[in-house]
Amino acid sequence: QTTLPGAIGLERHQRFMVSEQAVEQASAQSYEQLVSTGRAQGAINADPALLARVRTIANRLIPQVAVFRPDAVNWNWEINVMTTPEVNAWCMAGGKIMVYSGLVDKLHLSDAELAAVLGHEIGHALREHTREKVSNALGTQLLLAGVAAATNASDNTMQLANVVSQVTFTLPNSREMETEADHIGL
């Protein structure tokens, strides 16, 4: 169990098939690539006022993560803003945060509302939802490969089995993860 119950009594147990370090490394590489591409397009941190606002709010939230994960205070946190009309924000494993300017511009978010969104996204990272989803996908692939080998199933049968598996296992977990992130964020 990597996440403490905190004030909300978080108790769902998770199973991981990949290491925390592997997911954090992959997240850092993906984040750096996105930032580099965005920087080349002039879309990263193009609005200094919005960047300062987002970083101020995030930097007030980050010390609070110790309630759920004391180690997370020491993550190599990175906070950037992408100029895009998309209404989105996320936090990758290890504390890599991206806020899309469309989120703030289109919704006219107050600082408190932006903090709630950032708290939610940070909750996903604290709870290692990416690692959990990667582990679930890997487990499903291994299971389906075993079934295919044991039954000599056709590719079409295996594709259908994969879709059924996603609907049965992935979607309910996704809703549960969103609820956990809501509770942690709030």
Coordinates of all heavy atoms in Angstrom, one line a residue, residues 70-105:
P70 N 4.0 10.7 2.3 CA 5.2 11.6 2.8 C 6.3 11.7 1.8 O 6.9 12.7 1.6 CB 5.6 10.9 4.1 CG 4.4 10.1 4.6 CD 3.7 9.7 3.3
D71 N 6.5 10.6 1.0 CA 7.6 10.6 0.0 C 7.3 11.5 -1.1 O 8.2 12.1 -1.8 CB 7.9 9.2 -0.5 CG 6.7 8.6 -1.3 OD1 5.5 8.7 -0.8 OD2 6.9 8.1 -2.4
A72 N 6.1 11.8 -1.4 CA 5.7 12.6 -2.5 C 6.1 14.1 -2.4 O 6.3 14.8 -3.4 CB 4.2 12.5 -2.8
V73 N 6.3 14.6 -1.2 CA 6.8 15.9 -1.0 C 8.1 16.1 -1.7 O 8.4 17.2 -2.2 CB 6.9 16.2 0.5 CG1 7.5 17.6 0.8 CG2 5.5 16.2 1.2
N74 N 8.9 15.1 -1.8 CA 10.2 15.1 -2.3 C 10.3 14.7 -3.8 O 11.4 14.6 -4.4 CB 11.2 14.2 -1.5 CG 11.3 14.7 -0.1 OD1 11.4 15.9 0.1 ND2 11.3 13.8 0.8
W75 N 9.1 14.5 -4.4 CA 9.2 14.2 -5.9 C 9.8 15.4 -6.6 O 9.7 16.6 -6.1 CB 7.7 14.0 -6.4 CG 7.1 12.7 -6.1 CD1 7.7 11.6 -5.5 CD2 5.8 12.3 -6.3 NE1 6.8 10.6 -5.3 CE2 5.6 11.0 -5.8 CE3 4.7 13.0 -6.8 CZ2 4.4 10.3 -5.9 CZ3 3.5 12.3 -6.8 CH2 3.3 11.0 -6.4
N76 N 10.2 15.2 -7.8 CA 10.8 16.3 -8.6 C 9.6 16.9 -9.4 O 9.4 16.7 -10.5 CB 11.8 15.7 -9.6 CG 12.4 16.8 -10.4 OD1 12.5 18.0 -10.1 ND2 12.9 16.4 -11.6
W77 N 8.8 17.7 -8.6 CA 7.6 18.4 -9.1 C 8.0 19.3 -10.3 O 8.9 20.1 -10.2 CB 6.9 19.1 -8.0 CG 6.3 18.2 -7.0 CD1 6.9 17.8 -5.9 CD2 5.0 17.7 -7.0 NE1 6.1 17.0 -5.2 CE2 4.9 16.9 -5.9 CE3 3.9 17.7 -7.9 CZ2 3.7 16.2 -5.6 CZ3 2.8 17.0 -7.6 CH2 2.7 16.3 -6.4
E78 N 7.2 19.3 -11.3 CA 7.3 20.2 -12.4 C 5.9 20.7 -12.8 O 5.0 19.9 -12.9 CB 7.9 19.5 -13.7 CG 9.4 19.2 -13.5 CD 10.0 18.6 -14.7 OE1 9.9 19.2 -15.8 OE2 10.6 17.5 -14.6
I79 N 5.8 22.0 -13.0 CA 4.5 22.6 -13.2 C 4.6 23.5 -14.5 O 5.4 24.5 -14.5 CB 4.0 23.4 -12.0 CG1 4.0 22.5 -10.8 CG2 2.6 24.0 -12.3 CD1 4.3 23.3 -9.5
N80 N 3.8 23.2 -15.5 CA 3.8 24.0 -16.7 C 2.4 24.3 -17.2 O 1.5 23.6 -16.8 CB 4.7 23.3 -17.8 CG 6.1 23.3 -17.4 OD1 6.8 24.4 -17.5 ND2 6.7 22.2 -17.0
V81 N 2.3 25.2 -18.1 CA 1.0 25.6 -18.7 C 1.2 25.5 -20.2 O 2.1 26.1 -20.8 CB 0.6 27.0 -18.3 CG1 -0.7 27.4 -19.0 CG2 0.3 27.1 -16.8
M82 N 0.3 24.8 -20.9 CA 0.2 24.7 -22.3 C -0.9 25.6 -22.9 O -2.0 25.5 -22.4 CB -0.1 23.2 -22.7 CG -0.2 23.0 -24.2 SD 1.3 22.8 -25.1 CE 1.8 21.1 -24.5
T83 N -0.5 26.5 -23.8 CA -1.5 27.3 -24.4 C -2.2 26.5 -25.5 O -1.6 26.1 -26.5 CB -0.8 28.6 -25.0 OG1 -0.1 29.3 -24.0 CG2 -1.8 29.5 -25.7
T84 N -3.5 26.2 -25.2 CA -4.3 25.4 -26.0 C -5.8 25.7 -25.6 O -6.0 25.9 -24.5 CB -4.0 23.9 -26.0 OG1 -4.9 23.2 -26.8 CG2 -4.0 23.4 -24.6
P85 N -6.7 25.6 -26.6 CA -8.1 25.8 -26.2 C -8.7 24.6 -25.4 O -9.8 24.7 -24.8 CB -8.8 25.9 -27.5 CG -8.0 25.3 -28.5 CD -6.5 25.4 -28.0
E86 N -8.0 23.5 -25.3 CA -8.5 22.3 -24.6 C -8.8 22.7 -23.1 O -8.0 23.4 -22.5 CB -7.5 21.2 -24.7 CG -7.4 20.6 -26.0 CD -6.4 19.4 -26.1 OE1 -6.7 18.4 -25.4 OE2 -5.4 19.6 -26.8
V87 N -9.8 22.1 -22.6 CA -10.2 22.2 -21.2 C -9.6 20.9 -20.5 O -10.3 19.9 -20.5 CB -11.7 22.4 -21.0 CG1 -12.1 22.4 -19.5 CG2 -12.2 23.6 -21.7
N88 N -8.4 21.1 -19.9 CA -7.8 19.9 -19.4 C -6.6 20.3 -18.4 O -6.1 21.4 -18.5 CB -7.3 19.0 -20.5 CG -7.0 17.5 -20.1 OD1 -7.4 17.2 -18.9 ND2 -6.4 16.8 -20.9
A89 N -6.3 19.3 -17.6 CA -5.1 19.4 -16.7 C -4.8 18.0 -16.3 O -5.7 17.1 -16.3 CB -5.4 20.3 -15.5
W90 N -3.6 17.7 -16.0 CA -3.2 16.4 -15.5 C -2.0 16.5 -14.7 O -1.2 17.4 -14.7 CB -3.1 15.4 -16.6 CG -2.5 15.8 -17.9 CD1 -3.1 16.2 -19.0 CD2 -1.1 15.9 -18.2 NE1 -2.2 16.6 -20.0 CE2 -0.9 16.4 -19.5 CE3 0.1 15.6 -17.4 CZ2 0.3 16.6 -20.1 CZ3 1.3 15.8 -18.0 CH2 1.4 16.3 -19.3
C91 N -1.7 15.4 -13.9 CA -0.5 15.2 -13.1 C 0.0 13.8 -13.3 O -0.7 12.9 -13.0 CB -0.7 15.5 -11.7 SG 0.7 15.4 -10.6
M92 N 1.1 13.7 -14.0 CA 1.7 12.4 -14.2 C 2.4 11.8 -12.9 O 2.6 12.6 -12.0 CB 2.8 12.4 -15.3 CG 2.2 12.7 -16.7 SD 3.6 12.7 -17.8 CE 2.7 12.4 -19.4
A93 N 2.7 10.6 -13.0 CA 3.5 10.0 -11.9 C 4.7 10.8 -11.6 O 5.4 11.3 -12.5 CB 3.9 8.5 -12.3
G94 N 5.0 10.9 -10.3 CA 6.2 11.7 -9.9 C 6.0 13.2 -9.9 O 7.0 13.9 -9.6
G95 N 4.8 13.7 -10.1 CA 4.5 15.1 -9.9 C 4.8 16.0 -11.1 O 5.1 17.1 -11.0
K96 N 4.5 15.4 -12.3 CA 4.6 16.2 -13.5 C 3.3 16.8 -13.9 O 2.4 16.1 -14.4 CB 5.2 15.4 -14.7 CG 6.4 14.6 -14.4 CD 7.6 15.5 -14.0 CE 8.8 14.7 -13.7 NZ 9.6 15.2 -12.6
I97 N 3.1 18.1 -13.7 CA 1.8 18.7 -13.8 C 1.7 19.6 -15.1 O 2.7 20.3 -15.4 CB 1.4 19.7 -12.6 CG1 1.4 18.8 -11.3 CG2 0.2 20.5 -12.9 CD1 1.2 19.7 -10.1
M98 N 0.6 19.5 -15.8 CA 0.3 20.3 -17.0 C -1.1 20.8 -16.9 O -2.0 20.1 -16.7 CB 0.5 19.5 -18.3 CG 0.3 20.4 -19.5 SD 1.7 21.6 -19.8 CE 3.1 20.5 -20.1
V99 N -1.2 22.1 -17.0 CA -2.5 22.8 -17.1 C -2.7 23.4 -18.5 O -1.8 24.1 -19.0 CB -2.7 23.9 -16.0 CG1 -4.0 24.7 -16.2 CG2 -2.6 23.3 -14.6
Y100 N -3.8 23.1 -19.1 CA -4.1 23.7 -20.4 C -4.8 25.0 -20.2 O -5.7 25.1 -19.4 CB -4.9 22.8 -21.3 CG -4.2 21.5 -21.7 CD1 -2.9 21.1 -21.2 CD2 -4.9 20.5 -22.5 CE1 -2.3 19.9 -21.6 CE2 -4.3 19.3 -22.8 CZ -3.0 19.1 -22.4 OH -2.4 17.9 -22.8
S101 N -4.3 26.1 -20.9 CA -4.9 27.4 -20.7 C -6.4 27.4 -20.9 O -7.1 28.2 -20.3 CB -4.2 28.4 -21.6 OG -4.4 28.1 -23.0
G102 N -6.9 26.6 -21.8 CA -8.4 26.6 -22.1 C -9.2 26.3 -20.8 O -10.3 26.7 -20.7
L103 N -8.6 25.5 -19.9 CA -9.3 25.2 -18.7 C -9.6 26.4 -17.9 O -10.7 26.6 -17.4 CB -8.4 24.2 -17.8 CG -9.0 23.9 -16.4 CD1 -10.1 23.0 -16.5 CD2 -7.9 23.3 -15.6
V104 N -8.6 27.3 -17.8 CA -8.8 28.5 -17.0 C -9.6 29.6 -17.8 O -10.5 30.2 -17.3 CB -7.4 29.1 -16.6 CG1 -7.6 30.3 -15.8 CG2 -6.7 28.0 -15.7
D105 N -9.2 29.7 -19.1 CA -9.8 30.7 -19.9 C -11.3 30.5 -20.2 O -12.1 31.4 -20.1 CB -9.1 30.9 -21.2 CG -7.6 31.3 -21.1 OD1 -7.3 31.9 -20.0 OD2 -6.8 31.1 -22.0

